[in-house]
Amino acid sequence: DIQMAQSPSSLSASLGDRVTITCRSSQSISKYLNWYQQKVGEAPKLLIYAATTLQTGVPSRFSGSGSGTEFTLTISSLQPEDLATYSCQQSYTTPWTFGPGTKVEIK
Amino acid sequence: QITLKESGPTLVKPTQTLTLTCNFSGFAFDTRGEGVAWIRQPPGKALEWLTLIYYNGEKRFSPSHQSRLNIARDTSRKQVVLTMTNMDPVDTGTYFCSHMSYTFSSGYRYFDSWGQGTRVTVSS
């Protein structure tokens, strides 16, 4: 199985801050990497697919980059509604696997 | 608009079989590469993909649970059913069904719509 790691596991930032979350895969997955946002008590929501493509309806303050084994999710200006856990997921090969999540808190 | 909704028991006993139903709408389930998956999340832990059924009936399973899993679809009733045998307390968590999309040109797959999830507790 391809293992997914994320850092940090949690972070606290102020409104308006730029936030960056890193995801690393145990082997190269090209750009087969998706990002999800999950608010407490809710289902995950797709933010970005294919490492860099913003899902329809997702605010442009979210962006993704990377390829191979290292990827980043950036929130350019943190908003109150961004309080959530963010998870990466590889779609390179089955079993499709998720990262452990990064919890984003507002300072 | 794609919607999915899970239903099934909230409590099962150890060794019992879990059956969950996903009722979906908003897609015909006839597009190349399209699928419906089951993904679970133990309390406070990461998401874990379990199984998927493609538009053409092909199935994929997580090797970790393959011997205990089955997935079936009834396109006319717009349902996908998960069956998981020999349930154990470690299987406690929220179970989601999700629609998977596929981009033909590049082969990217992603879970773009999710049900609200259903909580399952395994306890005697």
Side-chain angles (χ1 to χ4, degrees), chain A:
Chain A
D1 299 5
I2 297 176
Q3 308 302 316
M4 307 301 292
Q6 288 183 235
S7 60
S9 56
S10 66
L11 65 90
S12 181
S14 300
L15 295 177
D17 280 357
R18 183 181 185 87
V19 169
T20 299
I21 298 168
T22 298
C23 175
R24 291 184 174 87
S25 55
S26 60
Q27 66 184 73
S28 179
I29 57 171
S30 184
K31 294 184 70 176
Y32 292 86
L33 190 283
N34 307 317
W35 288 99
Y36 300 87
Q37 175 194 64
Q38 188 176 20
K39 298 181 179 180
V40 172
E42 296 185 6
K45 172 188 172 184
L46 177 68
L47 295 177
I48 288 169
Y49 64 93
T52 60
T53 304
L54 200 66
Q55 171 69 342
T56 303
V58 174
S60 58
R61 64 180 179 275
F62 292 94
S63 63
S65 64
S67 66
T69 61
E70 188 160 332
F71 304 85
T72 59
L73 172 70
T74 300
I75 309 173
S76 61
S77 177
L78 191 66
Q79 300 300 304
E81 59 267 31
D82 300 336
L83 169 70
T85 296
Y86 295 84
S87 300
C88 58
Q89 175 243 330
Q90 64 83 14
S91 61
Y92 183 76
T93 186
T94 57
W96 297 307
T97 47
F98 291 82
T102 295
K103 187 174 182 179
V104 173
E105 298 174 324
I106 312 294
K107 241 183 229 179

Side-chain angles (χ1 to χ4, degrees), chain B residues 18-37:
Chain B
L18 172 69
T19 300
L20 296 176
T21 300
C22 175
N23 287 278
F24 62 84
S25 64
F27 62 100
F29 209 179
D30 61 358
T31 302
R32 179 185 167 199
E34 187 174 41
V36 172

Side-chain angles (χ1 to χ4, degrees), chain B residues 84-106:
Chain B
M84 192 168 194
T85 62
N86 194 25
M87 292 292 283
D88 183 273
V90 300
D91 297 314
T92 293
T94 299
Y95 287 70
F96 298 97
C97 63
S98 178
H99 175 266
M100 188 181 76
S101 284
Y102 173 75
T103 57
F104 304 146
S105 58
S106 50

Side-chain angles (χ1 to χ4, degrees), chain B residues 69-83:
Chain B
L69 289 172
N70 195 21
I71 187 169
R73 63 174 185 164
D74 185 334
T75 305
S76 62
R77 298 179 67 184
K78 295 188 174 296
Q79 291 183 336
V80 172
V81 176
L82 169 74
T83 304

